[in-house]
Amino acid sequence: MMQFNHRKYHASPVVHLPDRQWPNQVFTKAPRWVSVDLRDGNQALRSPMTVTRKQQLWQLLIKLGFKEIEVGFPAASQPDYDFVRWLIEQDQIPADVWIQVLTQARADLIERTFTALQGAPRAIVHVYNSISPIQRSRVFNQDRAGIMKLAMQGAEWVANTAAHYSDTHWRFQYSPESFSQTELDYAVEVIQSVLNVWQPTSSQPCIINLPATVESNSPNVFADQVEYVKRALNHDDRVILSIHTHNDRGCAVAATELALLAGAERVEGTLLGNGERTGNVDIMTLAMNLYSQGIDPELDMSNPDEIITVIEDCTGIACHPRHPWVGELVYTAFSGSHQDAIRKCLQQQTPNTTWQVAYLPIDPRDLGRDYSAVIRVNSQSGKAGLAFVLEREYGLLLPRWIQQALAPIVQYETEQQGGMIDAQRIRTLFEQTFICDQAPVQLLGYQLQRNGHDDMTARLMVNHQEIIIHGTGSGALAAFIAAWCNWSGQLLDVRDYYEQALGAGTDADAVAYVLLADDANQNAAIAGVAIDRDTVSAALKAVISAVNLRQLQLVTSD
């Protein structure tokens, strides 16, 4: 038999729910977020976090705005126990934050869990047991009745033990582990049996958490399962319906979003999706998905670099550069057509209006990113990319004909380097290509008189000899061109001209761009550029740059 054999597997059962309502629902607000980074995320690490690392991550979670945080499995781990005691004894729990701890439905573990929580102002005790057919038959060797009895016993032990610690405001949570792989009618029976033990009220609700312990079906099926339970509970306001999804099929975010539409109101997950196997649902992605739709996620994700640094430091797992929303390269465009679209949209985007920029679903500045990360140049980039970079970094507004001339030069450079090219190197190539106003011709000075027309007298150094030229024209540039033609006998034709100020204020430099053709080759115009404090000098030097570059071309061709 082939090793890669799909016949070893069968399709997971679907839910018969022909009148399902979740496809017609829309998001209007954020769910209740629960970080399980310190517990579920921690148990998935090669090297679990020390108490010091847990303290570092705790501070981040509080800063981000989490109000419910699962802090550990204190009955199963001494570092988890010590961390819980540090939180309580050092008064580290804000008044509006609930800590949550996990325990199996075993009397000894439950007792130690409450011992760890002694003195906590408020806490969620999260008890669980596995209920799926494969767990019942192959792991616990129990039938349905036996597994239900375990769940009820766990619920009783939790309630009875909590009664001995009356100074703490308790909330109970039950998870039918492997819920998504369990017969739905049986899952509801188990949940109801636990509710019968706890007898929650509207003012003292309990949490029923539905885990996709192993993601084994498509997100729409999980949504059907959640809606089925929601209906079976008759939308009971004594119950807070929670979900906990894993990412085995790579669909945890989608499954969570559809489950929220199906009636779940609480989400357990981790930052950046760390967790067992392929991970837990990524709360950062979920929160930013809401944010991008104009919904307040009620978590502060505005500084992802800080979040990534802390998570990487505490877990030892690097954030992928293409991670949704916060990866290093997610707002970066290398494609020329993408760059052109982004540049044009950004030029038209005005403050205090709805964000509408091609290829950028949100404003990167909302996440503390500036536009230096939006467009980067490599061999796949076109003229728009390099123009964007020079405008962003140096304020250079390249006319289209300069962009067209510079693009192949930059592309050749990136192909030789085999990677990206930075802004400084692009500017160097730009200057090397278009600014050549020192030799063989150099402007030493000029005089301009305006008497209905412009009379230009310019002093030049030409091949190390000083000369003076005169000309008249309509404007300084035309007068200088006339003066040059009078002296050299060369006919110059200005095909295009553009000038700009570099910055604001009277002391800003001027940049002049000129496209010249000469009588020797009218079909091959050449561009020249110059930068000068004086706008007239910049224009004259741009002409000189073009003249010099033409001369260098002729020398090279000879």
Side-chain angles (χ1 to χ4, degrees), residues 38-39 42 54 71-74 77-84:
L38 292 165
R39 200 281 304 172
N42 183 51
K54 280 177 167 279
V71 294
F73 197 148
S77 165
Q78 189 62 44
D80 280 14
Y81 187 97
D82 293 341
F83 176 63
V84 172

Side-chain angles (χ1 to χ4, degrees), residues 324-358:
W325 298 115
V326 298
E328 179 188 1
L329 296 179
V330 296
Y331 302 107
T332 300
F334 294 109
S335 162
S337 60
H338 290 195
Q339 293 172 343
D340 184 54
I342 291 172
R343 182 177 64 89
K344 290 174 179 175
C345 289
L346 288 175
Q347 289 172 344
Q348 298 174 63
Q349 184 69 30
T350 57
N352 303 318
T353 59
T354 302
W355 181 257
Q356 296 184 77
V357 176

Side-chain angles (χ1 to χ4, degrees), residues 80-133:
D80 280 14
Y81 187 97
D82 293 341
F83 176 63
V84 172
R85 294 311 308 158
W86 174 82
L87 289 171
I88 297 168
E89 293 169 4
Q90 299 302 315
D91 195 23
Q92 294 294 314
I93 308 170
D96 60 347
V97 172
W98 290 76
I99 60 170
Q100 175 175 305
V101 294
L102 184 71
T103 181
Q104 288 176 311
R106 284 173 41 189
D108 57 330
L109 298 181
I110 290 171
E111 181 62 45
R112 182 163 173 78
T113 297
F114 278 93
T115 301
L117 289 170
Q118 186 171 3
R122 68 203 61 79
I124 300 168
V125 178
H126 179 188
V127 63
Y128 73 95
N129 69 300
S130 296
I131 68 169
S132 68

Side-chain angles (χ1 to χ4, degrees), residues 167-276:
D167 291 339
T168 297
H169 184 189
W170 298 109
R171 180 163 291 163
F172 303 149
Q173 174 173 328
Y174 174 68
S175 284
E177 189 189 5
S178 60
F179 157 78
S180 60
Q181 295 174 306
T182 301
E183 311 94 326
L184 281 175
D185 60 338
Y186 177 64
V188 170
E189 285 183 33
V190 174
I191 291 168
Q192 290 286 11
S193 71
V194 170
L195 294 178
N196 290 338
V197 172
W198 282 342
Q199 293 294 309
T201 65
S202 298
S203 59
Q204 296 288 332
C206 70
I207 301 166
I208 296 298
N209 185 58
L210 305 179
T213 308
V214 177
E215 185 180 43
S216 58
N217 215 323
S218 55
N220 62 300
V221 174
F222 186 63
D224 282 347
Q225 293 172 327
V226 172
E227 184 170 328
Y228 182 99
V229 173
K230 185 79 171 181
R231 292 187 190 186
L233 296 178
N234 198 26
H235 302 274
D236 194 336
D237 63 359
R238 302 173 306 151
V239 174
I240 299 167
L241 195 60
S242 176
I243 50 175
H244 180 120
T245 55
H246 282 257
N247 201 41
D248 300 84
R249 291 168 53 96
C251 300
V253 167
T256 299
E257 291 187 335
L258 297 191
L260 289 171
L261 296 177
E265 52 195 308
R266 183 177 183 269
V267 171
E268 295 188 347
T270 61
L271 296 171
L272 302 181
N274 172 49
E276 291 180 297

Side-chain angles (χ1 to χ4, degrees), residues 17 39 43 83 170 226 274 327 342 353-354 386 396 425 486 501-502 506 539 543:
L17 202 67
R39 200 281 304 172
Q43 76 176 22
F83 176 63
W170 298 109
V226 172
N274 172 49
I342 291 172
T353 59
T354 302
L386 62 91
L396 292 166
R425 182 56 184 159
N486 291 339
L502 278 181
T506 56
V543 173

